[in-house]
Amino acid sequence: MRAILPGKPQARLQALCTTEWEGLRLVVYISGNGLMIFSGPHDLVQTIYHEDDEGLIAVAIDENSGKIATANSCEVLIYRPYGKEDGLLKWSLQCTIPRSQQEPADVTLSWGMDGELLIGSTSLRLFQTAIEEVEIWRRALSKPTRIAEFSCDADLIASTGRYDRLVKLWRRQSYGADDTRFDFSYLPHPTAVTAIHWRRPHTRVQASEHVLYSVCADYKMRIWAAMDQHRVQGLHLWAEIDMQDSVQPRQLNSKVHSQDRFAFIIDSQDFSRTTAAILKEAAKLQAANGESKEQHALEHLAEIAKSSPEICVVLDRHGHMSAWGLENVGCKARKPTDIFNVAHVENFDIGFLNSAGYKDNNTQLTSFCRSQPDAPFVLLAHHLDGRIEWLGCRLDELFAPFPQQKRIRQKILWTGHDGPIKKIVRSASGKAVMSRTNDNEALIWTQGFGGSDLGLTRRSFLRCPEHIHRSWLLQEGNFAVNLHHASISLWDTRLSPATQVGHVTFDTEGHPMCLVQLPKPHLDIKTIHIATITTKKFGIVWEIQLPEGSDHQPEVRRPSSSSLKYVCAFELDIGDTIAFMLPVDPAGSAIWTSSSLDTFSKDIAISYSHDGRLRAWTAAIDSDETAVKWLVTSTVETGIKDPSLASASSIRKIALVDGSMTGLTIWDMRSGQLEHSVQYTELELIRDLDWSSTPDDQAILAVGFPHQVVILAQMRYDYLNAGAAWAPIRSINIKEFTPHPIGDSTWLGSGNLLIGAGNQLFIYDKSVDPLSSTTSGLALPEHKYGNLDLFDLITILNGPLPLFHPQFISQCILAGKVDQAQKILQGLCKALKFFTDGDTLDSFVSLSPDIFTFEAQTSNGGTLDYHARYGDADDEPQPHIKEVAASLNETLSQLSIPQLSSQEQTHLADMIDCVSTVIKHQRSMDENATRYLLFFRQHMIRKSQAPPVRAGITYREIVWAYHSGSQDILVDLASRQFQGRMLWADARDCGLFMWLNDVNALRAQLEIIARNEYAKTDEKNPIDCSLYYLALRKKNVLVGLWRMAAWNREQASTQRLLSNNFQEARWKTAALKNAYALLGKRRFEYAAAFFLLAGNLQDAVNVCLHHIRDLQLAVAVARVYEGDDGSVLRLLLTDKVLPQAALEGDRWLATWAFWMLGKRDLALRCLISPIHTLLDTLESPKMQARSYLANDPALVVLYKQLRGRTLQTLKGASRISPKEEWDFVIQNARLYDRMGCDLLALDLVRNWEFLLQPKEVPSQTQRPPDPRKMLRRRSSLVVDDLSNPKSPTGMRAGVGKAPPQKVFEEPEANSLLDNFGF
């Protein structure tokens, strides 16, 4: 926590107190119905709120026990400390003492000895509170007391009433709870007494020498002392100091002369102890430096401290200070030298000028000293206008006899509200905020006062007679607009209090929902248009004219030339209703100006409907400024019913909370993707959402709960591991400071978070602890441990990746850049050759970015002619990839790479091993096979290292293998991976029966699996392989296996059953009965086998799908049993697989299913278009289908590969509009950017080729044009699958086999020009 604005202190004489208890300095003050306890300027120990809304009146703290007493008009509350030994100091309520209803509201409190508490009002009452509250003395007074204070040894009580010129001095006659008596005498004064102060004893002898300081309305301080300790007449006047004469301006004709005087006492105890510490430190520093310089300030201070005097300091409002030393106080024969001048200086600024215009312009000063080398002297200035200043300095600087620019410095200013904060509104830049309470009182704060962003400075106070519904700040808080239920008002907040300069009433249908500032086509900070929209979709626009020079704060108040007037009314033209509309959080960006109204304009507002439809809006004022036009820039169907809360950022991110206030979703309005979804518990209701952004426009979201705020940050997209796109990086809990729930929060422009709870404002800085429990799951580089800046942390989590990051290398392989991946590893090996801990590592490992964006040409054979283009300049021979991999793995096991976390470094070592394997087999397989092999190998490595993250490889890898022409090699490599003993679980892991095209090879592999399943145990159970042999229609083999299973008790009955002819109806029925009986016993796989025995493939597939929940097993059984042309397989793909893909948004599964069905045009279109739009289904997709994971950037690689493969895919591509393809490419470029792969995004947009569109649309009578003419480069390898429709098996004949023999065709002239780039 950086700073706190704990609340407005009460304008009471006893609103502030301080003491040192057990070596801990405590400062306590009251604000509203809250008690604030501090141990330092920024160290809030605890906030205690009274259960009633009754404001507190007085507070006192006991230096002996640490107890705190507070009072309101009804009772006195006593709190006792606990937990100090454990380092968790808090206070809890000990007891309450009721007050009489006949007593006036004012009350005074003072602690005596051994837990005695003095309560003064119309009477003086003394209570013993050590164990329980017991009244031990009471004395009625003729008039209510205003001040009543114990002496330090509790022998005397000094009391006085309001406007009373007599101080009544009570002397204790006896001690004890049973017999406590006091007598009294009077200390007369010429005018009303305004303040008293008992001297704190410096020595044990001084403890019995009572000295009382009193201040009167005649601006004189009187010192009362016991002249003779052996007499009991009480105190006598020892001396007086005329404060008017003490401070005189240096110039007689000065215009800043003031009659007001303020004084405080520095007790001898504090002065002597602090001076000794300063002199000791100076001597130590001088000895260390070996220099002997004259230090006049220290010499002057040492001379003053010789006689251990009391110091009386007198001030005026303009920084003039006079300090007087008091020696031998109480001696009978006072010498003239006993009162001497210490200093008469200037530039002692406390801030009186800011309070001079208020009714309560008085200030109380309290001083103490503490062991802080930079500022051992502390002065607390309680301004009764609602501020407490904590000021600090060194005593030698304070009393230096020579001029100084600033003698005392403000450490912090405690101020704020005296009621619970309801709403906080920020300006566009976040440099100004307005905090508002329920009683329509607002404070305007500015950030960066004096060139620092350490806190907020109160600029103005605003009290509105009407209910404030919405607010908007203009010109960094110089002006404020308040929207009421039937009117709008403009306020000038440059000075305090704010003044209303404009007010307009309105009458429109519906209730106003928000205030929105409208962008303008030209930059004009003096003319501003602001609008409101109602629940009935009607709105009003007003024009605000601000005066010249209003961006500067004036020194004096002048008549304002601001104006507020009605411009026009409008209606939003949309079909459905609006549940709520709110402005876009600017998150650090100013209102964007545009000369045109289009979807590229900045969003200024969002709306949501009851059925969860999100809309982003922009608007523009006409050139004549008489009308406004609104435009919907984007729409997203979230499917969330009755949202309760929403918030939008200027970079088109929207956070939406469901109706239960426990579910949070984050949407990208540009792409309509769901980026994050989380469900909190019912005890964690979401109350607030606030956006901010880093300087490079990365979003940050603060999610507010009743007592904590969770900060979420963007993460890089991770499609390979299905990683989260948002993650919590910090959790702020305010329960340790205040029991009051959070009212509102907002971000400041500097990145600090402002939280309002109760009447307090907490400012949290940008520091994030990467070792906290919240960030422990994030992949952070080890060398970054230590507190991180929030913006730097987000750059680590969501910034560009180094080229050697495992995710970047993986995406290179997917994009077909195997040679570039090899270059990266070679460059990394070279860079790490002489690398040591602490060195910086180039993220590009000395490679040029051009190697990723240059479109490499291919030879006739289709192999990249890479080395001819990217040969090294020095022709240095590159080591073999096997040597590079071995060297890198050895280096990574010994060194820590700065840009990688330990987990990422482990994944990089695995990736190096996988890339080495891929390059080893690169010459014998195509690109799709290398893609599959890379991730299959990576999956197997991670599976052997730790429990697997997922059951097997994804459908993405299955599709790569499915479209590979090197499937025989992949089958061999997969079989070797499992040592030739592949079981069904292994086959499911590698997706073999989904991607293998040759049905005969498929049957051979299933037979191998059947044998391995049978032999996997020592007892060799035929049940384990029954499903596979019956799918292969090899019942006789199964019969033979049962013949050898003599140990199985089911052998005899199973053998008899299998010996029958299942073509007969009676035995089919018997097999079905056994299948249903096995379902009842939950032996699902064996039940599916009996369904196959009965010839019922459909039921067997249903069991695999719904009971075993194994889609791959269902597909394998269907393909092996009746081939790829079977009706059951087609029904499975049509009714089960494709609807599942549409519900989940799985484009990889959808394109595989469409291609299996022979619908290659749809297999291509589903890569771009929403899957449910290509199916005859009315069921809406799940929220998972809207996730960003459904739009893998590798889809663009597959799309480019399949687009020109067959005439069907070209036909499907022709049905995709150029705009859809353009959006698809741009969206994938953005996805690459969110993944940290900026170079791949640049390569995509630089080298993408769009299809040629026909110049004329053919009529119905004309023959449709040849799809091959859409290709920019002629290719003879396009398979004609349109002229002669074939079965799905026949249509896949060209896949996985050698391409047909090429036939030479004379190329057209245009195609030749195209090849040369003309």
Side-chain angles (χ1 to χ4, degrees):
M1 183 175 64
R2 167 167 286 182
I4 180 175
L5 297 166
K8 178 182 178 181
Q10 299 284 62
R12 301 279 183 173
L13 291 180
Q14 270 199 290
L16 171 69
C17 64
T18 179
T19 192
E20 185 171 348
W21 170 61
E22 296 185 359
L24 179 66
R25 172 59 63 173
L26 297 173
V27 179
V28 182
Y29 82 93
I30 53 177
S31 173
N33 65 334
L35 173 66
M36 319 302 166
I37 307 173
F38 285 85
S39 62
H42 303 281
D43 303 324
L44 177 64
V45 179
Q46 188 181 4
T47 300
I48 303 174
Y49 284 100
H50 194 259
E51 294 181 357
D52 300 332
D53 294 333
E54 186 76 26
L56 298 177
I57 300 172
V59 63
I61 184 168
D62 185 10
E63 66 177 0
N64 297 315
S65 64
K67 292 182 179 181
I68 299 174
T70 63
N72 56 25
S73 61
C74 300
E75 57 188 354
V76 175
L77 301 97
I78 300 176
Y79 298 90
R80 60 183 174 189
Y82 67 93
K84 188 174 186 298
E85 298 80 6
D86 302 327
L88 301 172
L89 178 60
K90 297 295 178 184
W91 276 259
S92 63
L93 182 64
Q94 173 186 332
C95 62
T96 59
I97 301 174
R99 296 184 59 195
S100 173
Q101 296 181 355
Q102 285 75 28
E103 292 183 358
D106 290 340
V107 67
T108 63
L109 302 173
S110 181
W111 288 95
M113 64 176 188
D114 299 331
E116 291 180 342
L117 178 63
L118 177 67
I119 303 175
S121 182
T122 56
S123 63
L124 289 180
R125 294 191 294 165
L126 186 61
F127 286 84
Q128 175 55 251
T129 64
I131 301 176
E132 58 182 9
E133 66 280 10
V134 178
E135 183 177 316
I136 60 176
W137 178 73
R138 175 195 290 260
R139 176 63 65 89
L141 301 175
S142 59
K143 60 187 301 185
T145 183
R146 183 170 178 262
I147 302 173
E149 188 174 339
F150 264 118
S151 63
C152 294
D153 61 355
D155 279 348
L156 300 178
I157 299 173
S159 67
T160 184
R162 184 179 295 273
Y163 310 120
D164 198 346
R165 68 180 188 86
L166 296 175
V167 173
K168 190 173 289 186
L169 192 65
W170 302 83
R171 180 180 294 273
R172 190 190 294 262
Q173 297 297 312
S174 63
Y175 294 87
D178 298 333
D179 184 22
T180 300
R181 298 191 307 273
F182 287 83
D183 66 355
F184 65 89
S185 59
Y186 291 103
L187 302 180
H189 293 73
T191 58
V193 178
T194 58
I196 62 174
H197 172 76
W198 286 102
R199 182 183 69 173
R200 296 186 57 80
H202 178 47
T203 62
R204 186 181 298 272
V205 175
Q206 280 189 349
S208 59
E209 298 176 354
H210 301 108
V211 175
L212 177 68
Y213 302 91
S214 63
V215 180
C216 292
D218 60 356
Y219 293 109
K220 289 186 178 181
M221 175 179 285
R222 292 170 173 83
I223 301 101
W224 304 83
M227 302 290 191
D228 190 351
Q229 298 298 325
H230 302 287
R231 300 174 63 183
V232 293
Q233 282 85 358
L235 304 182
H236 299 272
L237 181 63
W238 182 77
E240 65 181 24
I241 298 175
D242 192 331
M243 296 190 293
Q244 286 284 4
D245 295 338
S246 298
V247 177
Q248 294 293 336
R250 298 296 177 91
Q251 299 176 1
L252 296 178
N253 58 350
S254 176
K255 296 181 181 180
V256 295
H257 183 63
S258 173
Q259 297 293 330
D260 295 334
R261 295 293 183 265
F262 307 91
F264 63 90
I265 299 294
I266 304 178
D267 290 309
S268 174
Q269 176 188 14
D270 288 342
F271 181 76
S272 301
R273 184 174 57 185
T274 306
T275 301
I278 293 175
L279 295 176
K280 183 179 180 181
E281 180 189 355
K284 186 184 297 183
L285 184 63
Q286 188 174 2
N289 296 333
E291 299 178 359
S292 178
K293 291 184 178 181
E294 293 186 1
Q295 299 182 4
H296 298 291
L298 286 175
E299 293 173 359
H300 180 62
L301 184 65
E303 185 66 24
I304 298 170
K306 284 183 178 179
S307 56
S308 301
E310 318 284 335
I311 305 296
C312 174
V313 182
V314 182
L315 311 171
D316 68 359
R317 288 192 179 275
H318 306 294
H320 303 116
M321 181 194 80
S322 177
W324 300 86
L326 307 177
E327 293 182 5
N328 304 318
V329 179
C331 65
K332 291 182 180 180
R334 181 172 67 85
K335 296 180 292 185
T337 57
D338 287 344
I339 301 178
F340 60 93
N341 183 259
V342 174
H344 189 96
V345 297
E346 297 178 346
N347 297 325
F348 192 90
D349 299 324
I350 294 185
F352 294 114
L353 289 176
N354 295 334
S355 63
Y358 279 79
K359 180 180 178 181
D360 296 324
N361 60 357
N362 194 14
T363 298
Q364 289 181 304
L365 301 175
T366 305
S367 67
F368 61 87
C369 296
R370 60 179 190 154
S371 57
Q372 292 292 334
D374 58 334
F377 174 73
V378 176
L379 181 64
L380 298 177
H382 175 205
H383 304 283
L384 297 189
D385 63 352
R387 296 173 296 130
I388 295 178
E389 284 186 284
W390 181 303
L391 303 115
C393 68
R394 292 166 54 98
L395 287 179
D396 52 337
E397 297 174 354
L398 181 65
F399 300 129
F402 46 82
Q404 287 195 0
Q405 186 175 3
K406 201 172 185 66
R407 295 184 178 271
I408 194 165
R409 294 167 296 277
Q410 184 190 97
K411 295 296 183 181
I412 197 170
L413 177 70
W414 291 335
T415 184
H417 296 274
D418 56 3
I421 296 172
K422 177 183 179 182
K423 185 66 178 176
I424 303 176
V425 180
R426 56 169 273 173
S427 64
S429 65
K431 294 181 180 179
V433 295
M434 172 196 282
S435 54
R436 195 175 73 236
T437 61
N438 289 320
D439 53 2
N440 302 316
E441 291 186 352
L443 291 176
I444 288 82
W445 310 84
T446 56
Q447 189 184 19
F449 179 75
S452 173
D453 65 344
L454 296 180
L456 295 177
T457 303
R458 190 178 77 174
R459 166 177 288 185
S460 183
F461 169 74
L462 185 152
R463 184 189 296 274
C464 188
E466 300 180 77
H467 173 72
I468 301 176
H469 186 53
R470 296 287 183 267
S471 298
W472 194 272
L473 291 180
L474 304 173
Q475 285 191 355
E476 304 302 341
N478 287 333
F479 293 87
V481 179
N482 288 327
L483 178 68
H484 316 289
H485 291 301
S487 63
I488 186 172
S489 58
L490 175 65
W491 295 76
D492 186 345
T493 59
R494 291 175 292 174
L495 292 178
S496 186
T499 56
Q500 182 174 302
V501 295
H503 187 270
V504 177
T505 60
F506 62 85
D507 184 14
T508 185
E509 188 177 351
H511 299 287
M513 294 184 291
C514 63
L515 276 178
V516 181
Q517 184 176 344
L518 303 180
K520 298 188 62 177
H522 54 86
L523 186 61
D524 183 6
I525 62 174
K526 306 302 179 187
T527 304
I528 296 172
H529 290 88
I530 200 161
T532 185
I533 299 96
T534 69
T535 53
K536 299 296 184 181
K537 298 181 291 185
F538 292 97
I540 301 175
V541 179
W542 294 276
E543 180 184 278
I544 299 173
Q545 291 289 342
L546 301 179
E548 292 291 336
S550 59
D551 53 342
H552 301 288
Q553 188 169 359
E555 296 182 0
V556 296
R557 192 184 302 278
R558 295 187 178 91
S560 178
S561 58
S562 308
S563 64
L564 174 67
K565 67 177 183 179
Y566 169 87
V567 175
C568 65
F570 60 88
E571 182 180 3
L572 299 180
D573 186 17
I574 55 175
D576 57 347
T577 59
I578 293 179
F580 200 76
M581 193 168 186
L582 65 156
V584 167
D585 194 326
S589 63
I591 300 298
W592 188 70
T593 58
S594 174
S595 58
S596 61
L597 187 65
D598 50 38
T599 56
F600 295 99
S601 300
K602 223 31 163 169
D603 295 339
I604 64 171
I606 63 160
S607 64
Y608 58 85
S609 61
H610 291 287
D611 56 357
R613 183 180 295 106
L614 291 175
R615 288 187 179 92
W617 298 82
T618 188
I621 292 284
D622 285 350
S623 57
D624 57 356
E625 298 186 354
T626 58
V628 61
K629 295 181 180 178
W630 289 83
L631 176 68
V632 177
T633 58
S634 56
T635 303
V636 174
E637 299 286 347
T638 66
I640 299 175
K641 301 299 181 182
D642 297 321
S644 59
L645 195 62
S647 182
S649 72
S650 58
I651 54 178
R652 295 192 170 180
K653 305 289 184 186
I654 292 184
L656 191 65
V657 180
D658 62 10
S660 65
M661 301 181 70
T662 58
L664 172 67
T665 54
I666 301 177
W667 301 82
D668 186 339
M669 290 297 291
R670 184 180 286 109
S671 61
Q673 294 180 153
L674 172 65
E675 292 193 343
H676 185 64
S677 178
V678 61
Q679 191 74 29
Y680 296 98
T681 64
E682 294 182 356
L683 299 178
E684 299 176 302
L685 299 181
I686 301 173
R687 300 290 183 86
D688 189 29
L689 300 169
D690 295 288
W691 287 99
S692 183
S693 64
T694 63
D696 55 348
D697 280 344
Q698 299 189 53
I700 312 170
L701 178 64
V703 184
F705 299 93
H707 295 281
Q708 71 169 342
V709 176
V710 176
I711 299 176
L712 302 177
Q714 284 183 288
M715 304 284 288
R716 296 186 194 94
Y717 284 170
D718 186 0
Y719 291 92
L720 303 180
N721 300 306
W726 291 78
I729 60 173
R730 188 178 182 183
S731 179
I732 299 173
N733 196 315
I734 66 168
K735 274 189 175 181
E736 59 178 317
F737 302 115
T738 175
H740 207 286
I742 296 174
D744 198 10
S745 60
T746 192
W747 290 95
L748 301 178
S750 60
N752 297 340
L753 182 64
L754 180 66
I755 300 175
N759 61 340
Q760 298 176 324
L761 289 170
F762 300 89
I763 305 173
Y764 287 86
D765 59 15
K766 297 186 294 181
S767 177
V768 178
D769 181 11
L771 293 177
S772 66
S773 58
T774 307
T775 57
S776 59
L778 303 178
L780 296 177
E782 290 185 1
H783 80 290
K784 292 288 185 181
Y785 281 166
N787 280 355
L788 285 171
D789 183 85
L790 177 65
F791 293 165
D792 294 339
L793 174 61
I794 293 175
T795 301
I796 294 174
L797 298 176
N798 195 36
L801 291 171
L803 299 188
F804 47 82
H805 194 280
Q807 175 160 285
F808 189 89
I809 297 175
S810 301
Q811 293 300 324
C812 282
I813 301 294
L814 286 176
K817 301 181 182 299
V818 179
D819 295 314
Q820 285 90 332
Q822 184 176 355
K823 281 284 185 181
I824 292 172
L825 297 183
Q826 291 171 346
L828 179 61
C829 182
K830 185 176 180 181
L832 293 179
K833 191 173 183 180
F834 302 102
F835 181 83
T836 58
D837 288 335
D839 293 349
T840 57
L841 186 62
D842 180 18
S843 297
F844 284 86
V845 288
S846 302
L847 295 179
S848 171
D850 293 339
I851 68 173
F852 297 94
T853 59
F854 182 83
E855 186 179 12
Q857 304 295 326
T858 57
S859 62
N860 292 335
T863 305
L864 284 171
D865 188 12
Y866 177 82
H867 296 284
R869 173 66 180 85
Y870 299 113
D872 291 335
D874 54 0
D875 293 330
E876 179 183 349
Q878 296 293 337
H880 191 269
I881 188 62
K882 187 175 181 179
E883 301 173 4
V884 171
S887 175
L888 281 176
N889 284 331
E890 182 181 358
T891 304
L892 292 176
S893 63
Q894 300 172 355
L895 295 176
S896 177
I897 297 182
Q899 291 94 326
L900 302 180
S901 66
S902 57
Q903 181 182 5
E904 290 171 341
Q905 193 161 324
T906 303
H907 291 170
L908 175 60
D910 299 340
M911 181 59 64
I912 292 171
D913 186 18
C914 297
V915 173
S916 174
T917 304
V918 166
I919 295 177
K920 175 183 177 182
H921 299 281
Q922 185 181 9
R923 295 181 178 273
S924 58
M925 60 177 63
D926 58 11
E927 284 187 352
N928 287 339
T930 61
R931 293 183 179 107
Y932 172 83
L933 179 60
L934 174 76
F935 295 103
F936 172 64
R937 175 69 176 163
Q938 185 181 30
H939 167 69
M940 297 309 298
I941 290 177
R942 293 188 183 182
K943 186 179 179 181
S944 62
Q945 290 176 346
V949 178
R950 53 176 180 257
I953 60 174
T954 64
Y955 290 112
R956 176 182 55 243
E957 287 75 48
I958 289 174
V959 170
W960 294 128
Y962 181 67
H963 290 291
S964 171
S966 310
Q967 291 186 350
D968 51 346
I969 299 176
L970 294 181
V971 171
D972 181 59
L973 292 175
S975 179
R976 291 184 185 180
Q977 180 66 42
F978 303 107
Q979 294 82 37
R981 298 180 179 179
M982 184 183 294
L983 303 175
W984 171 251
D986 303 326
R988 184 175 57 237
D989 258 6
C990 61
L992 178 65
F993 289 85
M994 299 282 283
W995 54 259
L996 191 56
N997 286 315
D998 189 349
V999 178
N1000 293 326
L1002 202 71
R1003 293 192 175 102
Q1005 290 300 319
L1006 190 64
E1007 188 167 3
I1008 294 174
I1009 290 174
R1011 290 198 299 267
N1012 293 335
E1013 288 284 350
Y1014 173 72
K1016 69 181 179 181
T1017 59
D1018 294 338
E1019 56 189 13
K1020 297 182 179 181
N1021 194 347
I1023 297 177
D1024 296 338
C1025 60
S1026 297
L1027 176 61
Y1028 310 109
Y1029 277 120
L1030 292 176
L1032 291 166
R1033 300 177 185 266
K1034 293 188 176 182
K1035 187 189 73 171
N1036 294 333
V1037 176
L1038 192 60
V1039 171
L1041 296 178
W1042 273 107
R1043 189 177 298 117
M1044 294 182 289
W1047 56 271
N1048 196 317
R1049 62 181 182 180
E1050 297 179 1
Q1051 181 195 29
S1053 58
T1054 305
Q1055 273 189 294
R1056 288 195 301 272
L1057 181 64
L1058 291 177
S1059 62
N1060 298 298
N1061 182 10
F1062 287 90
Q1063 299 299 324
E1064 300 177 8
R1066 57 172 295 198
W1067 296 114
K1068 283 186 178 182
T1069 303
L1072 289 175
K1073 288 182 178 180
N1074 280 277
Y1076 287 118
L1078 290 169
L1079 283 178
K1081 296 179 180 180
R1082 305 188 64 82
R1083 298 173 66 180
F1084 300 128
E1085 189 173 319
Y1086 204 26
F1090 272 89
F1091 278 122
L1092 290 179
L1093 189 63
N1096 196 336
L1097 175 61
Q1098 184 64 61
D1099 287 341
V1101 168
N1102 289 340
V1103 170
C1104 296
L1105 192 64
H1106 299 297
H1107 292 83
I1108 305 178
R1109 299 185 183 278
D1110 192 342
L1111 174 62
Q1112 291 196 39
L1113 182 60
V1115 171
V1117 169
R1119 294 185 67 188
V1120 170
Y1121 193 85
E1122 62 175 7
D1124 288 352
D1125 300 327
S1127 59
V1128 174
L1129 178 63
R1130 296 182 64 84
L1131 191 65
L1132 172 66
L1133 297 176
T1134 304
D1135 293 353
K1136 302 296 183 182
V1137 176
L1138 285 175
Q1140 176 185 341
L1143 283 175
E1144 299 175 356
D1146 194 336
R1147 299 183 186 274
W1148 297 102
L1149 180 59
T1151 187
W1152 172 84
F1154 279 128
W1155 200 280
M1156 285 286 295
L1157 290 170
K1159 300 178 181 180
R1160 298 183 176 181
D1161 55 339
L1162 298 180
L1164 185 78
R1165 290 174 60 191
C1166 73
L1167 301 178
I1168 296 180
S1169 304
I1171 304 172
H1172 67 275
T1173 61
L1174 307 177
L1175 303 175
D1176 297 331
T1177 177
L1178 298 177
E1179 190 173 1
S1180 59
K1182 296 179 181 178
M1183 189 176 293
Q1184 179 184 352
R1186 303 180 178 96
S1187 171
Y1188 78 96
L1189 293 172
N1191 299 306
D1192 193 332
L1195 291 169
V1196 76
V1197 179
L1198 181 64
Y1199 174 82
K1200 186 176 182 180
Q1201 181 185 122
L1202 298 182
R1203 185 178 62 180
R1205 174 172 289 190
T1206 72
L1207 292 183
Q1208 262 203 68
T1209 57
L1210 278 173
K1211 181 182 177 183
S1214 66
R1215 296 184 179 179
I1216 299 173
S1217 67
K1219 183 181 183 305
E1220 289 179 315
E1221 187 171 348
W1222 167 274
D1223 293 339
F1224 178 62
V1225 174
I1226 297 301
Q1227 178 188 3
N1228 281 277
R1230 291 195 187 103
L1231 295 179
Y1232 274 130
D1233 182 65
R1234 273 299 306 273
M1235 294 176 69
C1237 305
D1238 304 60
L1239 291 177
L1240 298 182
L1242 180 60
D1243 169 65
L1244 178 64
V1245 298
R1246 180 175 180 177
N1247 298 320
W1248 185 264
E1249 289 185 352
F1250 291 91
L1251 294 178
L1252 296 173
Q1253 299 299 317
K1255 297 181 180 180
E1256 296 181 359
V1257 180
S1259 61
Q1260 295 182 353
T1261 58
Q1262 292 179 339
R1263 184 178 179 182
D1266 189 355
R1268 283 173 291 190
K1269 292 184 178 181
M1270 300 174 64
L1271 297 173
R1272 293 183 179 271
R1273 303 182 186 185
R1274 288 290 302 274
S1275 174
S1276 59
L1277 300 180
V1278 179
V1279 176
D1280 184 2
D1281 53 358
L1282 286 177
S1283 55
N1284 297 315
K1286 302 176 183 178
S1287 65
T1289 304
M1291 294 177 69
R1292 288 193 300 274
V1295 181
K1297 298 182 180 180
Q1301 186 176 1
K1302 300 179 182 179
V1303 179
F1304 177 76
E1305 295 183 6
E1306 184 69 26
E1308 297 179 359
N1310 290 336
S1311 65
L1312 292 175
L1313 293 176
D1314 287 342
N1315 285 333
F1316 287 96
F1318 296 105

